Amino acid sequence: MRLIKAVGLIAALSLGVALAQDRTQTLIYGGDWSDLITLDPQVSYEFSGGLITDNLYETLVKYEGADLSTLKPGLAESWKVDRGRDTWDITFRLRRGSKFSSGNEVTAKDVVYTFERALALKGPGSFLFTDIAKLKPGAARAVDNYTVVVSIPKTASPGSFLSILTFNIGGIVDSETVQKNARGNDFGKEWLTNNSAGSGPFRLVRWDRGSQVLLEANPNARLKPKLQRVILREIKEPAVLRTALESGEIDIAEGLTPEALRALANNPRFKTLKADSLRLNYLAMNVKEGSPFANLLVREAVRYSINQDELVSGLVQGNGTKTQTLIPKGLLGYDPRTPYTFDPARARRLLAQAGYPNGLEFELLVSTGICGGGIPCADIAAKIQADLAKSGLKANVKAIANAEVLRTYRAQNHQMVLVGWSPDFPDPDGNATPWADFNARSLAWRNVWNDPTASRMANQAALETEPAKRVALYRLLTDYVLKNGPYAVLYQPAVPIGLSAKVEGYVRNAQGQVRFENISKQP
């Protein structure tokens, strides 16, 4: 009996040692990933989806570390831009020997297939290809196994196109594997929602909706990760997030409250940072026919009804910058002016002029998760609700899962919604076209704001190559959208993050990208 017990104890101890050793090869990253809808790189258009697909797929070009100004080689070891008669012709030379997780080599046919797939699927981010880069089917062609030429019209910017390719829509998929798993004409969309077919440092093992996403090192990857696996644990409640970090259940906590960040900063077991962000938290108003927000005076009343100073310095506790215009701080064309002040009396007069002398009632849609700056969205909504009420604007707050908020918003079925936005590529056009051009079928489209003047101004600014002239054009555009658009920008948040002191190599750029292959853990 003693021998059996001893053997059992040795086995238990051995298992414990194995688990402890394994834990040093596993990174557990906690945060509110409830906006996750799909892991298909050509369809995903959410913050969490981008974070994950960046590590499952490689792009032709990329940004490294916190530098969002210098393009670096990715799957393409080099590229050049040539001026054709009517087009810009961009030639990419692929690295030889890059492999997908299946073991298949990455070749030009996979690049061409990926581009055609993005155009055919018409996902939420497809406007980046169709409206900004103005890509057409057949624009990408394979010259040989390792050379791809992409032609875009002279009316598009090759610089913007290259920057767009760093976003997950440019993640190159294994055409052979995807085609094997396609259903009908879906280009493997259903299969890639829950599976991966990339050459990135990690591969997708499992996605347990509402719980976690498990990634494992891709044995065929060119970029060899330092860890064997990464688990993204979904934790929506800030208090639970902090407890999980302090207990060692997770290694990184993204979206901590300001109070939690301050407490952890004094504890040597942890590291803290406020990561830069290009994100804007804003209110969006549906201006479709029959909506009270179709009246410009009502939208003006909303903007005069928000006490931004109290919001940023009080609730957000300085983890954000007060801003009102559509281009975030850090990008060309940022406009720091904040002409709208909290003025309930003025807002009431505007409502009366609009035909609402007794105010009006509407639904404010919000996420049940965490908003920018580490503040629960429900708390932001409650503050906005109280501010609006002082002007006679009664907002009935409806809190639902973030993925459902996005589905409702994208279907134009909201009245007012509290959401966040970050540009898909680090250029002012990453905000200007989605916010101003209805035809791009992004934010202006979601809010049914079809303003030809705004569309024309955005297009003109995007194509201007002289920086000073471009800044002047964006000054005109931001002023126009500020006064006429369906938005009330609230603040530009920092991202409060806590890490175990054992974590090394963590960098989160302002675009929200984190390269997991560079992260390691001390024993």
Side-chain angles (χ1 to χ4, degrees), residues 86-393:
D86 301 310
T87 60
W88 298 104
D89 299 321
I90 305 145
T91 302
F92 298 95
R93 305 287 182 185
L94 303 184
R95 298 177 188 271
R96 295 173 183 262
S98 296
K99 291 185 177 181
F100 293 108
S101 57
S102 66
N104 295 333
E105 187 180 14
V106 181
T107 64
K109 70 177 175 60
D110 299 299
V111 176
V112 172
Y113 178 81
T114 297
F115 281 36
E116 293 296 315
R117 183 175 189 271
L119 294 172
L121 289 179
K122 300 178 180 178
S126 64
F127 76 94
L128 298 168
F129 273 11
T130 59
D131 294 272
I132 296 178
K134 303 186 186 301
L135 283 183
K136 302 289 185 185
R141 59 191 185 279
V143 176
D144 56 44
N145 278 348
Y146 305 102
T147 308
V148 178
V149 177
V150 183
S151 298
I152 63 175
K154 281 287 183 60
T155 53
S157 164
S160 292
F161 173 61
L162 288 167
S163 189
I164 286 169
L165 291 182
T166 67
F167 186 56
N168 52 272
I169 195 172
I172 305 303
V173 302
D174 181 345
S175 59
E176 183 178 331
T177 299
V178 173
Q179 286 172 316
K180 283 181 181 177
N181 290 281
R183 294 190 177 184
N185 296 319
D186 81 339
F187 287 86
K189 178 181 176 182
E190 182 177 342
W191 185 77
L192 273 183
T193 296
N194 306 287
N195 295 275
S196 65
S199 62
F202 291 87
R203 65 182 185 88
L204 175 64
V205 176
R206 191 173 70 248
W207 171 20
D208 300 322
R209 282 170 170 74
S211 177
Q212 62 183 9
V213 178
L214 172 60
L215 312 181
E216 283 190 350
N218 174 5
N220 296 310
R222 177 179 59 86
L223 300 171
K224 300 297 183 184
K226 298 176 181 178
L227 297 167
Q228 284 301 304
R229 64 195 59 81
V230 174
I231 299 172
L232 290 104
R233 185 74 49 78
E234 184 171 318
I235 304 175
K236 294 190 285 290
E237 299 80 10
V240 177
L241 187 68
R242 175 181 175 179
T243 300
L245 180 64
E246 291 178 327
S247 68
E249 179 186 341
I250 63 176
D251 304 298
I252 302 175
E254 179 174 314
L256 291 168
T257 63
E259 295 88 353
L261 201 68
R262 284 198 300 270
L264 292 170
N266 298 318
N267 190 326
R269 292 175 50 222
F270 304 102
K271 296 181 283 190
T272 61
L273 65 101
K274 292 182 181 180
D276 289 336
S277 162
L278 297 178
R279 183 172 178 168
L280 296 176
N281 273 26
Y282 69 100
L283 295 175
M285 297 165 271
N286 194 324
V287 302
K288 65 184 177 183
E289 185 177 354
S291 166
F293 300 116
N295 191 317
L296 177 59
L297 294 174
V298 174
R299 303 200 295 274
E300 284 278 276
V302 169
R303 288 187 275 266
Y304 279 113
S305 298
I306 300 167
N307 194 329
Q308 278 184 284
D309 291 324
E310 280 189 359
L311 176 64
V312 174
S313 62
L315 190 58
V316 180
Q317 298 185 40
N319 280 336
T321 301
K322 176 183 175 181
T323 187
Q324 294 179 356
T325 50
L326 64 86
I327 297 175
K329 185 178 181 180
L331 292 184
L332 181 79
Y334 166 65
D335 188 341
R337 291 176 301 151
T338 55
Y340 289 100
T341 57
F342 182 52
D343 193 340
R346 185 170 185 173
R348 284 184 177 276
R349 291 195 298 271
L350 288 166
L351 287 175
Q353 293 174 37
Y356 299 97
N358 299 316
L360 62 94
E361 186 174 350
F362 54 91
E363 181 180 89
L364 171 55
L365 194 63
V366 302
S367 166
T368 52
I370 303 169
C371 274
I375 309 300
C377 296
D379 291 355
I380 301 287
K383 167 60 178 166
I384 298 298
Q385 182 185 47
D387 286 349
L388 294 174
K390 295 173 183 176
S391 302
L393 292 160

